[in-house]
Amino acid sequence: MKVVENLKEIQLKIKEACEKSERNIEDIKIIAVTKYVSTSRALEALNAGVVHLGENRDDGLLEKWEELKDKPVWHYIGSLQTRKVKNIIDKVEYIHSLDRISLANEINKRTEKQIKCLVQVNVSGEESKHGLQPHEVNEFISKLIEYPNIHVCGLMTMAPLTSDEKVIRSCFRKLKELQIEIQNLKLDYAPCNELSMGMSNDYSIAIEEGATMVRIGTALVGEEI
Ligand SMILES: *Cc1c(COP(=O)(O)O)cnc(C)c1O
């Protein structure tokens, strides 16, 4: 399938989810996750009208960045090793996987401008998943005031691997509740306006529950190299 056709279908579903939940379609950013595909496929996505690209490995991001430079807005969405921060920091606008102070410290040290970070939360509690436990988020964010280059623009989570819609929905709903808790603190460095949740199989549910960023790979650009 051409990316432009996939994109049309996704946009239609997003519109439906927005209507169902009385949200504005302008409030949703589609992040094309290009980790499985070539640079030319990523370029096809950009030509179809995609603005945001997401990669989950530093080498994948660097390879595509060499060709695409600052044509897209780059999102780093994968777990990030501290020693790899320096490789990507001047190329990305958003990091979706802030989950520990040592990483905040390294990001803060390696950049001169503010980086928009999303705190990754392991809402589902699955051991295989990265991220903070929900009860740790408040205290973690309060510590981030020490790092002036970190701007906490939101929260990110991944739903559990299940086809049970109720379980997925409750995971997204919990992240939304956490967001409201943080927003009520009215921290200048942590406005927390973004909710990064929803992938190919569950982005409609995520939008109904308040997602502002959906990270879509397979359904948008496919998996072929
Ligand atoms: C791969 C990946 C996605 C996209 O997954 P699809 O199911 O292909 O849409 C989204 N978020 C993260 C963190 C990923 O690693």
Side-chain angles (χ1 to χ4, degrees):
M1 283 285 269
K2 287 192 176 142
V3 176
V4 68
E5 286 162 21
N6 294 337
L7 181 63
K8 259 191 212 143
E9 195 176 316
I10 289 167
Q11 282 167 331
L12 192 67
K13 288 202 182 135
I14 289 178
K15 186 166 169 269
E16 283 166 4
C18 282
E19 279 164 5
K20 207 164 151 189
S21 52
E22 299 182 348
R23 300 190 55 204
N24 287 323
I25 199 156
E26 297 83 45
D27 294 340
I28 319 287
K29 295 183 189 75
I30 298 174
I31 302 170
V33 177
T34 48
K35 65 186 182 195
Y36 303 121
V37 300
S38 63
T39 305
S40 66
R41 188 72 166 167
L43 184 59
E44 189 188 334
L46 297 178
N47 290 336
V50 166
V51 175
H52 302 270
L53 293 191
E55 282 281 331
N56 71 337
R57 292 174 56 105
D58 68 323
D59 45 4
L61 189 138
L62 292 176
E63 192 188 312
K64 292 193 175 71
W65 187 86
E66 279 306 320
E67 280 185 57
L68 305 175
K69 297 278 176 0
D70 56 4
K71 220 179 265 186
V73 175
W74 289 103
H75 296 247
Y76 191 87
I77 60 168
S79 67
L80 182 53
Q81 289 175 291
T82 308
R83 64 190 169 87
K84 302 232 162 130
V85 168
K86 59 179 182 303
N87 302 344
I88 60 138
I89 194 74
D90 56 345
K91 310 200 165 44
V92 300
E93 189 156 330
Y94 293 87
I95 294 175
H96 290 236
S97 47
L98 180 56
D99 62 355
R100 57 196 191 278
I101 289 295
S102 58
L103 182 59
N105 190 42
E106 179 70 7
I107 293 170
N108 187 66
K109 200 170 79 184
R110 294 283 179 181
T111 176
E112 254 121 61
K113 58 168 196 194
Q114 279 204 332
I115 300 285
K116 294 175 194 146
C117 295
L118 294 96
V119 172
Q120 184 168 356
V121 188
N122 183 359
V123 181
S124 69
E126 285 178 305
E127 264 183 44
S128 59
K129 293 223 156 67
H130 290 267
L132 293 155
Q133 300 298 309
H135 71 271
E136 299 171 323
V137 171
N138 220 311
E139 194 190 339
F140 179 74
I141 289 182
S142 74
K143 287 182 187 154
L144 295 177
I145 194 170
E146 307 285 332
Y147 304 96
N149 293 333
I150 303 244
H151 182 75
V152 186
C153 73
L155 303 177
M156 179 274 220
T157 199
M158 290 170 84
L161 257 183
T162 170
S163 53
D164 188 339
E165 194 184 307
K166 264 197 225 124
V167 173
I168 295 171
R169 190 177 292 279
S170 110
C171 168
F172 293 150
R173 194 163 288 177
K174 279 191 200 140
L175 197 70
K176 176 73 196 181
E177 285 165 10
L178 258 179
Q179 180 199 31
I180 293 170
E181 234 181 86
I182 305 298
Q183 285 178 325
N184 284 340
L185 302 175
K186 305 210 179 312
L187 305 167
D188 286 339
Y189 67 93
C192 220
N193 295 323
E194 307 283 2
L195 271 190
S196 168
M197 55 189 197
M199 319 197 323
S200 289
N201 292 325
D202 53 21
Y203 64 89
S204 291
I205 306 173
I207 288 170
E208 287 169 27
E209 297 301 330
T212 64
M213 294 173 164
V214 286
R215 310 178 308 268
I216 307 181
T218 320
L220 181 54
V221 293
E223 292 180 282
E224 94 270 13
I225 298 297

